[in-house]
Amino acid sequence: MAFPAGFGWGASTAAYQVEGGWDADGKGPSVWDTFTHQGGERVFQNQTGDVACGSYTLWEEDLKCIKQLGLTHYRFSLSWSRLLPDGTTGFINQKGIDYYNKIIDDLLTNGVIPIVTLYHFDLPQALEDKGGWLSEAIIESFDKYARFCFSMFGDRVKQWITINEPNILAIMAYDLGVFPPGVPHFGTGGYQAAHNLIKAHARSWHSYDSFFRKEQKGMVSLGIFAGWAEPADTNSVSDQEAAKRAIAFCLDFFAKPIFIDGDYPEVVKSQIAFMSKKQGYPSSRLPKFTEEEKRMIKGTADFFAVQYYTSRLVKYQENKKEVGFLQDVELQVFPDPSWKRLDWVYVVPWGIRKLLKYIKDTYNNPVIYITENGFPQGDPASLDDTQRWEYFRQTFQELFKGTSYKWNHIIYDFFGLLH
């Protein structure tokens, strides 16, 4: 395989997962600090990110690895509470600014392009105490934070991700409650959080477009998690429809408002309204966008950032009583027995090709960045990683099949590997 001109190799990290220094040099607590310090059954072996990979003090070592690998891109996230300890610009931590300035400057000096994520799940605890993503007040707080970051780093950073995997955050944190703040709101919280996440992203995109784009000439998008859903029985109409709902609730829920028309997919709206009525609710549990909000949301992404790991088979399964985001979709997901398993990831290389084809056809052939891909390994990870390179070899083969479709506007410019 000959990689096309312009193909980029990158590594991707998240602040809480790698930095450590949880209270160093004036950093404020994030929801993950609070959550893990509480411990208990929901925290694996009572582990925390207090030290993590120690990147806050070992950045020079990380840089050596980046150079040794010959990476062209490095995606990392900013810790909101390291920069703004209480989440607001009323208290700015210069040590945090200095830390990220050094990372950006070192990357550019070594010919590596920084891709910066504003928010990767680690909300300042002070803002969660005011309602977090369930409160509309978070929209303005996020916009002010985004403007602050654009003003501090945008002279050098040209590729921004506003919010990492808002679909995962909404479900795991505010519907199921297994991510911090750890309080479940089955069937309501996930939708309210998603509603505010979409509006916060759109507001920050407009801020960049209005106040920074002309001078900084950068691009802004958000990173959407998406797996491929294949009907368990390709001859079953109900399974086919269930697979379509799976993609609509996972990918299109966020992508359609932002890339197409400012509103949720019709199948999402009708399905949640149907389930809400069945369960005795007076109206749909899904919030509605106003016409003004739809106009504000539409077209607020400069490229399509997608994060793919795996696929599942999908079978229709009626839900009569249970209330929840996942239950609303009315389906059962499971792997093909022949698929190789690596923790929660099943190796399905052709899934990424089908997913990219779907994005191309549905979203008007956008520029696409694969901002995460890979698979998890146990601790400690083995250096005999034949499974890893075989996973990537097969994935790249499927990507090359994709290029045979002559997707002229798809750029495989960044391939994120989890740190």
Side-chain angles (χ1 to χ4, degrees), residues 188-400:
T188 57
Y191 295 135
Q192 185 59 56
H195 206 65
N196 290 332
L197 284 159
I198 290 171
K199 289 193 285 186
H201 159 78
R203 179 86 70 86
S204 64
W205 184 93
H206 281 289
S207 288
Y208 188 86
D209 197 52
S210 298
F211 305 114
F212 301 97
R213 186 186 302 277
K214 184 177 180 180
E215 181 177 340
Q216 296 182 359
K217 297 179 174 58
M219 301 188 298
V220 179
S221 189
L222 79 170
I224 304 176
F225 172 89
W228 182 250
E230 189 78 3
D233 181 353
T234 55
N235 295 317
S236 167
V237 173
S238 61
D239 285 5
Q240 292 173 14
E241 294 302 314
K244 291 177 182 177
R245 286 198 303 276
I247 294 171
F249 271 76
C250 180
L251 175 68
D252 301 333
F253 193 107
F254 284 85
K256 181 177 175 287
I258 289 166
F259 287 90
I260 302 295
D261 61 5
D263 200 9
Y264 298 116
E266 289 302 320
V267 67
V268 168
K269 292 192 293 183
S270 62
Q271 181 71 13
I272 298 172
F274 169 72
M275 294 301 298
S276 298
K277 183 177 180 180
K278 181 192 288 190
Q279 294 155 349
Y281 285 82
S283 60
S284 176
R285 288 177 275 107
L286 179 68
K288 295 181 179 180
F289 294 119
T290 66
E291 292 303 314
E292 182 179 357
E293 287 172 339
K294 291 177 187 177
R295 290 190 291 271
M296 186 267 292
I297 294 166
K298 177 183 177 181
T300 54
D302 302 315
F303 57 96
F304 202 114
V306 65
Q307 312 195 160
Y308 172 88
Y309 289 92
T310 191
S311 297
R312 293 289 191 275
L313 298 178
V314 174
K315 186 177 183 63
Y316 169 69
Q317 180 173 285
E318 183 183 7
N319 174 40
K320 295 181 179 179
K321 296 182 179 180
E322 290 188 72
V323 178
F325 182 98
L326 300 176
Q327 289 75 16
D328 281 340
V329 196
E330 289 198 301
L331 52 76
Q332 178 185 3
V333 297
F334 52 93
D336 186 298
S338 67
W339 295 347
K340 185 180 296 184
R341 180 179 181 179
L342 302 162
D343 201 291
W344 63 274
V345 172
Y346 289 86
V347 180
V348 192
W350 50 260
I352 195 170
R353 174 171 50 83
K354 289 195 173 188
L355 177 65
L356 293 176
K357 180 68 162 58
Y358 177 84
I359 293 171
K360 169 188 178 291
D361 294 343
T362 306
Y363 294 102
N364 195 29
N365 201 15
V367 170
I368 296 176
Y369 284 73
I370 303 170
T371 42
E372 282 185 26
N373 180 261
F375 70 86
Q377 288 181 293
D379 184 18
S382 171
L383 295 179
D384 182 17
D385 61 351
T386 53
Q387 287 183 315
R388 180 182 295 275
W389 66 252
E390 180 63 19
Y391 173 94
F392 286 121
R393 184 186 68 81
Q394 294 179 23
T395 299
F396 290 134
Q397 285 180 332
E398 293 298 327
L399 292 179
F400 275 72

Side-chain angles (χ1 to χ4, degrees), residues 9-29:
W9 295 94
S12 180
T13 62
Y16 183 76
Q17 293 173 340
V18 302
E19 284 183 3
W22 78 275
D23 62 350
D25 296 333
K27 177 185 174 295

Side-chain angles (χ1 to χ4, degrees), residues 3-282:
F3 290 93
F7 189 95
W9 295 94
S12 180
T13 62
Y16 183 76
Q17 293 173 340
V18 302
E19 284 183 3
W22 78 275
D23 62 350
D25 296 333
K27 177 185 174 295
S30 75
V31 291
W32 275 101
D33 295 319
T34 302
F35 186 78
T36 57
H37 290 168
Q38 290 170 348
E41 292 183 358
R42 60 187 182 179
V43 179
F44 179 70
Q45 296 181 356
N46 286 326
Q47 294 180 2
T48 74
D50 291 3
V51 177
C53 300
S55 191
Y56 185 66
T57 55
L58 298 173
W59 162 246
E60 298 286 353
E61 297 302 312
D62 288 349
L63 182 61
K64 290 179 183 177
C65 293
I66 290 170
K67 293 166 65 176
Q68 182 182 19
L69 286 169
L71 301 181
T72 59
H73 295 69
Y74 179 64
R75 175 177 171 236
F76 64 98
S77 76
L78 306 175
S79 167
W80 189 340
S81 60
R82 191 178 297 284
L83 290 166
L84 308 177
D86 67 357
T88 76
T89 52
F91 179 14
I92 297 172
N93 181 19
Q94 185 60 46
K95 290 289 184 66
I97 296 173
D98 295 343
Y99 171 62
Y100 294 119
N101 270 333
K102 178 169 176 52
I103 291 177
I104 294 166
D105 290 343
D106 285 351
L107 289 172
L108 293 173
T109 297
N110 287 278
V112 180
I113 298 171
I115 297 181
V116 176
T117 301
L118 293 175
Y119 173 70
H120 193 128
F121 301 172
D122 50 347
L123 191 68
Q125 183 62 48
L127 295 182
E128 183 58 48
D129 292 341
K130 297 178 181 179
W133 287 105
L134 295 179
S135 169
E136 281 208 33
I138 196 66
I139 298 168
E140 183 175 356
S141 297
F142 184 79
D143 183 46
K144 289 181 177 179
Y145 166 61
R147 290 192 192 197
F148 169 80
C149 294
F150 295 150
S151 66
M152 289 292 105
F153 312 117
D155 58 327
R156 290 151 292 156
V157 175
K158 306 304 175 185
Q159 293 167 319
W160 295 93
I161 301 291
T162 55
I163 299 167
N164 179 79
E165 295 182 351
N167 43 356
I168 297 299
L169 176 70
I171 296 170
M172 300 297 281
Y174 293 98
D175 189 89
L176 300 177
V178 296
F179 281 6
V183 180
H185 302 273
F186 298 117
T188 57
Y191 295 135
Q192 185 59 56
H195 206 65
N196 290 332
L197 284 159
I198 290 171
K199 289 193 285 186
H201 159 78
R203 179 86 70 86
S204 64
W205 184 93
H206 281 289
S207 288
Y208 188 86
D209 197 52
S210 298
F211 305 114
F212 301 97
R213 186 186 302 277
K214 184 177 180 180
E215 181 177 340
Q216 296 182 359
K217 297 179 174 58
M219 301 188 298
V220 179
S221 189
L222 79 170
I224 304 176
F225 172 89
W228 182 250
E230 189 78 3
D233 181 353
T234 55
N235 295 317
S236 167
V237 173
S238 61
D239 285 5
Q240 292 173 14
E241 294 302 314
K244 291 177 182 177
R245 286 198 303 276
I247 294 171
F249 271 76
C250 180
L251 175 68
D252 301 333
F253 193 107
F254 284 85
K256 181 177 175 287
I258 289 166
F259 287 90
I260 302 295
D261 61 5
D263 200 9
Y264 298 116
E266 289 302 320
V267 67
V268 168
K269 292 192 293 183
S270 62
Q271 181 71 13
I272 298 172
F274 169 72
M275 294 301 298
S276 298
K277 183 177 180 180
K278 181 192 288 190
Q279 294 155 349
Y281 285 82

